[in-house]
Amino acid sequence: MGERIQSIRGMHDILPEQASAWRHLEAAAQRVVDAYGYRQIRLPIVEKSELFARSIGEVTDIVEKEMYTFADRNGESLSLRPEGTAGCVRAGIEHGFLHNQLNRLWYVGPMFRHERPQKGRYRQFHQLGVEAYGMAGPDIDAEVILLSARLWRELGLRGLRLEINSLGSLEARMRYRETLTTYLRNHLDALDDDSRRRLDSNPLRILDSKDADTRAVLADAPSLLDALDEESRRHFDGLRRLLDDNGVAYEINPRLVRGLDYYSRTVFEWVTDDLGAQGTVCAGGRYDGLIPQLGGRPTPACGFAMGLERLLALLESQGLLPPEETPDVYCLSLGEDARAVAMRLMESLREAAPSLRVLTHCGEGNLKAQLKRADKYGARVAVILGEDELRDATATLKPLQGEQPQQRVTQTELVTNLLALCAKENTVS
Ligand code: ATP
Ligand code: MG
């Protein structure tokens, strides 16, 4: 026997018993994006490495140490996508749907980052994101936040906090960068190694540091919000007003910066305390600077991405996952002739009621063994086609849940009877 091959660390199988939770989450998300008129876009999982270097930025954690980068057979450097925005913008420029147009888009799919796997942090994980192009005002920022808030309500999630901040214009950020760097240089000894390294390359990211000593230094650092330019301040006020109007509570977190460098003005995160260190389930903001950076004509843009694994963990911890779906009907049959009748009858049942879950027993087993299987699957009704039934063209209907007695019906009336039985059961449960 050959040695067994294992899956890759941090990349998980989603087994059938978990898949129903995924479908529940994805279906809710699709209802919500549809309700706001967002259109789906499906993009490649692999892109040229340069796309991510030029968008996310060379000096970010993602590009520096987390990307799955490889040379393909022609020697071209490709990467598994670590996030969805860069590919979306690349597609927008390529197909010309960004400039002078309005777009509301969404995507879902796997992303890849070579991080240290732990709870809520994987190497293959899934994001659902929305991107809105061509709208410069705070209204669209508010809309994507309202959309995410609606999803939490749709799912029944509790205890998610919204944090918002403004990074200002590029110029205001540059000025602030100087002020911050000067302040931090005066406290160099108290900074952690990562932060010291970032002082020249990406000092704003230091605001995000998890190191206790660095955070103590940051407590007295000049605030990004005090450095806002006038227009960004108005934008931020506009966003706050729209959130207030719609009853969405938020906290202003002046230290909120994004891991990705292409953001400007609005940034936000939805955070929970229920998931330990990996508490951010959704993060986004405005990234007006990205499109020209990738060679497109300036186009305002904003969006967010949510981590589906973290949302599923939260749903589970709050007891909000629906039970796995079970079959409505399980059809038992004995012998080759009865099997043929069973398959034909169940086909007509599926024809009449496409939403029912109908299983036909395949393979070996006497009726007792088949009935056991129907029970094990949690089916609601068993249809039995034994020797007697075959002889007089009938079928036995045996409710497997509840108190109803079993009944014998003609095969011509079987579908009608099953529909009635399943409908009745539906109203009972
Ligand atoms: P973190 O600070 O947790 O590393 P990030 O800033 O790298 O997050 P983003 O790039 O903004 O995260 O991605 C948006 C969302 O995707 C995150 O808020 C999180 O819910 C999810 N996410 C990011 N990285 C991972 C991962 N490795 N495993 C699972 N989910 C992830
Ligand atoms: Mg990260």
Side-chain angles (χ1 to χ4, degrees):
M1 263 208 310
E3 208 174 306
R4 279 196 283 176
I5 299 172
Q6 304 271 322
S7 65
I8 296 167
R9 195 163 114 84
M11 303 201 183
H12 297 290
D13 302 310
I14 297 167
L15 299 174
E17 52 269 35
Q18 299 153 341
S20 64
W22 282 80
R23 285 167 54 141
H24 171 71
L25 173 56
E26 286 168 358
Q30 286 186 30
R31 284 195 299 276
V32 172
V33 291
D34 285 348
Y36 289 80
Y38 284 61
R39 296 158 71 218
Q40 189 178 22
I41 185 162
R42 299 183 182 220
L43 298 162
I45 286 173
V46 183
E47 298 271 3
K48 294 182 181 170
S49 303
E50 190 196 349
L51 174 67
F52 302 113
R54 272 177 55 193
S55 59
I56 300 171
E58 299 274 8
V59 293
T60 54
D61 282 353
I62 293 183
V63 173
E64 270 183 347
K65 32 187 197 202
E66 296 175 358
M67 275 214 304
Y68 281 89
T69 297
F70 57 94
D72 85 347
R73 290 177 189 277
N74 318 322
E76 185 170 26
S77 179
L78 304 181
S79 296
L80 301 186
R81 64 182 184 191
E83 51 95 52
T85 300
C88 199
V89 169
R90 195 264 313 134
I93 297 171
E94 191 166 330
H95 301 285
F97 67 65
L98 292 181
H99 185 65
N100 268 344
Q101 296 183 51
L102 304 184
N103 275 285
R104 290 175 165 87
L105 304 174
W106 72 279
Y107 61 84
V108 62
M111 306 293 162
F112 303 84
R113 299 184 193 178
H114 194 275
E115 307 195 60
R116 191 170 68 77
Q118 51 197 290
K119 186 171 172 274
R121 195 175 290 288
Y122 311 101
R123 290 181 175 173
Q124 173 172 330
F125 62 101
H126 297 75
Q127 285 183 337
L128 187 144
V130 311
E131 315 285 5
Y133 298 114
M135 291 157 274
D139 42 7
I140 189 70
D141 300 7
E143 178 180 287
V144 301
I145 293 175
L146 291 178
L147 185 159
S148 54
R150 182 169 301 282
L151 178 59
W152 316 147
R153 282 202 299 281
E154 182 85 6
L155 292 165
L157 286 170
R158 302 172 297 270
L160 280 168
R161 284 183 284 112
L162 173 64
E163 299 188 356
I164 62 173
N165 191 21
S166 176
L167 302 178
S169 67
L170 194 59
E171 301 75 49
R173 245 163 111 190
M174 287 305 174
R175 279 200 303 278
Y176 173 70
R177 204 178 136 131
E178 293 302 312
T179 323
L180 179 69
T181 313
T182 310
Y183 171 83
L184 291 175
R185 272 196 207 297
N186 290 329
H187 298 82
L188 204 56
D189 294 344
L191 298 184
D192 61 286
D193 290 343
D194 257 352
S195 296
R196 246 182 266 180
R197 208 165 42 81
R198 288 198 171 118
L199 205 50
D200 291 313
S201 59
N202 194 353
L204 286 189
R205 283 297 310 286
I206 300 176
L207 293 176
D208 199 24
S209 169
K210 311 273 187 294
D211 180 84
D213 293 336
T214 301
R215 290 185 78 93
V217 173
L218 288 171
D220 295 319
S223 164
L224 186 54
L225 281 175
D226 293 333
L228 280 194
D229 53 295
E230 191 44 42
E231 212 179 319
S232 296
R233 180 173 304 286
R234 266 205 304 279
H235 189 105
F236 196 48
D237 289 345
L239 171 65
R240 292 175 54 186
R241 182 185 159 186
L242 288 167
L243 294 177
D244 291 338
D245 272 359
N246 287 282
V248 178
Y250 55 82
E251 297 156 31
I252 295 173
N253 175 358
R255 299 204 201 304
L256 184 64
V257 287
R258 301 292 316 123
L260 310 181
D261 276 351
Y262 47 60
Y263 288 97
S264 59
R265 295 209 170 123
T266 308
V267 285
F268 67 89
E269 285 191 1
W270 287 97
V271 189
T272 172
D273 296 323
D274 295 356
L275 295 177
Q278 270 61 250
T280 303
V281 297
C282 175
R286 176 163 286 283
Y287 55 96
D288 295 348
L290 178 58
I291 295 159
Q293 201 173 308
L294 289 177
R297 281 187 279 188
T299 306
C302 82
F304 64 68
M306 49 181 90
L308 298 191
E309 282 80 359
R310 292 185 194 178
L311 282 170
L312 283 168
L314 192 59
L315 284 167
E316 185 170 20
S317 78
Q318 298 189 358
L320 294 170
L321 288 179
E324 199 183 330
E325 301 258 22
T326 50
D328 296 295
V329 175
Y330 195 95
C331 185
L332 294 56
S333 54
L334 204 58
E336 216 175 294
D337 294 339
R339 180 66 41 89
V341 175
M343 295 196 77
R344 185 168 48 72
L345 288 172
M346 291 306 107
E347 280 300 296
S348 44
L349 177 60
R350 293 184 187 104
E351 201 76 23
S355 65
L356 286 186
R357 286 165 191 261
V358 181
L359 272 82
T360 306
H361 184 89
C362 290
E364 303 291 303
N366 59 25
L367 288 181
K368 192 165 165 227
Q370 294 185 31
L371 200 58
K372 247 185 155 159
R373 185 143 302 267
D375 259 330
K376 192 174 159 223
Y377 283 141
R380 290 156 60 189
V381 186
V383 174
I384 304 167
L385 291 161
E387 281 161 9
D388 294 350
E389 287 87 353
L390 194 63
R391 200 176 310 116
D392 58 9
T394 58
T396 299
L397 295 186
K398 185 179 167 59
L400 300 175
Q401 292 158 20
E403 300 300 308
Q404 293 184 43
Q406 68 177 50
Q407 46 173 315
R408 186 96 166 251
V409 302
T410 67
Q411 287 173 9
T412 26
E413 290 165 346
L414 176 68
V415 167
T416 321
N417 276 283
L418 272 173
L419 291 181
L421 198 60
C422 289
K424 214 181 308 161
E425 295 249 324
N426 267 337
T427 53
V428 172
S429 63

